[in-house]
Amino acid sequence: MQHISLAKAHGISAHIRAFFLMILMLAGGAGAAMAQVLPSVTLSPNTIAPNGTSQMTITLNNSGSSGARELAFTLPLPSNVTLSSTAVSDCANATLSGALGTNTISFSGGQLPGFTSCTVQASLTSSVINSYTIPAFNLSSDIGITTSSSVGFTVANSTASFSKSFSPSTINAGETTRLTYLIDNTLQVNGVGVLSFNETLPNGMTISDTPLLESTCGNATFPATVTADPGGSSVSLFANGFLPTFPALDAGASCVLAFNVSAPN
């Protein structure tokens, strides 16, 4: 019968522990390398009047330490829903298509370092009253495939419309244009009790040093609170009225929020 000394057995046990420790380390490294980039979609607002606009933001979030390359997705919009602005993105190296008036956003070639996120933004519109669903889509990359959740979107006749425009609509780098938000309640027989929205400007665009801010929303009793700081990249408006005596926006009326913005150099 063969005998193994305690010292030798202890050495074998140590080797076995080291082997399993190496396996666990390799498994952990593989898990880090296969971290997923998760897509999500938000709409603001989720309900619009016919021919109003809703801001869609697609966020790609890499919560892992490994960078992702060759990010790609295609998002077809529902029938009767189109883009009311050209899609823009701050994702590195991305090729993006989504022109004004079309109904598909295609994204490819994007890169995203670990622990970062990037966005794709576009405005949506529809003239047809209905409840729509922005469908789930697959996001592929060199570290895997993930799927977004679907998002509901409603076009209703009982809502003031919300739209925005630039004047002029085309400018050169470093130049200034006037951004105007229009909240139109002219077709409605009821006032609006509360007006509230916020938006982040397209990547690189900032509120001008001389914004010449103008707001006609709210009323004398409950004036609107507007945040649009020079040099900043976000805007918000909140007007809290009281129906039916002091609506934030009267029936049959409209209001605007306008200020100057500058394109990046």
Side-chain angles (χ1 to χ4, degrees):
M1 177 182 295
Q2 185 177 6
H3 296 279
I4 300 176
S5 70
L6 289 176
K8 192 171 183 180
H10 178 76
I12 293 174
S13 176
H15 282 302
I16 292 174
R17 287 199 302 271
F19 173 77
F20 280 107
L21 179 60
M22 181 179 68
I23 293 297
L24 290 173
M25 292 175 64
L26 289 174
M34 293 305 293
Q36 300 291 294
V37 180
L38 299 176
S40 62
V41 179
T42 58
L43 295 172
S44 179
N46 287 77
T47 300
I48 63 171
N51 298 312
T53 61
S54 176
Q55 179 76 10
M56 179 173 68
T57 300
I58 302 169
T59 301
L60 310 181
N61 182 46
N62 186 357
S63 60
S65 59
S66 300
R69 296 182 297 275
E70 299 303 322
L71 293 160
F73 69 84
T74 298
L75 174 57
L77 300 177
S79 178
N80 297 317
V81 176
T82 59
L83 298 177
S84 58
S85 70
T86 299
V88 296
S89 176
D90 60 3
C91 300
N93 298 325
T95 299
L96 180 66
S97 66
L100 172 69
T102 62
N103 65 351
T104 300
I105 294 177
S106 295
F107 176 100
S108 62
Q111 296 184 6
L112 195 58
F115 302 122
T116 61
S117 64
C118 65
T119 61
V120 177
Q121 291 185 317
S123 294
L124 309 182
T125 190
S126 177
S127 61
V128 180
I129 295 173
N130 205 346
S131 294
Y132 300 96
T133 299
I134 307 301
F137 64 87
N138 291 331
L139 172 69
S140 63
S141 73
D142 66 332
I143 61 173
I145 298 175
T146 53
T147 304
S148 72
S149 297
S150 60
V151 179
F153 175 60
T154 302
V155 180
N157 212 9
S158 59
T159 306
S161 68
F162 179 84
S163 62
K164 68 178 180 180
S165 61
F166 292 92
S167 181
S169 58
T170 302
I171 59 175
N172 295 318
E175 292 183 342
T176 297
T177 182
R178 187 92 173 150
L179 172 57
T180 299
Y181 298 90
L182 171 65
I183 304 173
D184 187 354
N185 200 40
T186 55
L187 299 179
Q188 307 305 321
V189 296
N190 297 310
V192 179
V194 178
L195 298 175
S196 178
F197 79 88
N198 59 79
E199 182 179 31
T200 299
L201 301 178
N203 186 44
M205 180 174 287
T206 58
I207 299 169
S208 299
D209 292 337
T210 307
L212 300 178
L213 181 67
E214 171 194 4
S215 173
T216 61
C217 300
N219 57 61
T221 305
F222 301 100
T225 299
V226 177
T227 301
D229 298 326
S233 59
S234 63
V235 57
S236 66
L237 178 145
F238 179 74
N240 188 15
F242 181 78
L243 293 176
T245 313
F246 301 106
L249 181 59
D250 286 324
S254 63
C255 71
V256 298
L257 170 63
F259 50 89
N260 294 335
V261 295
S262 301
N265 289 309

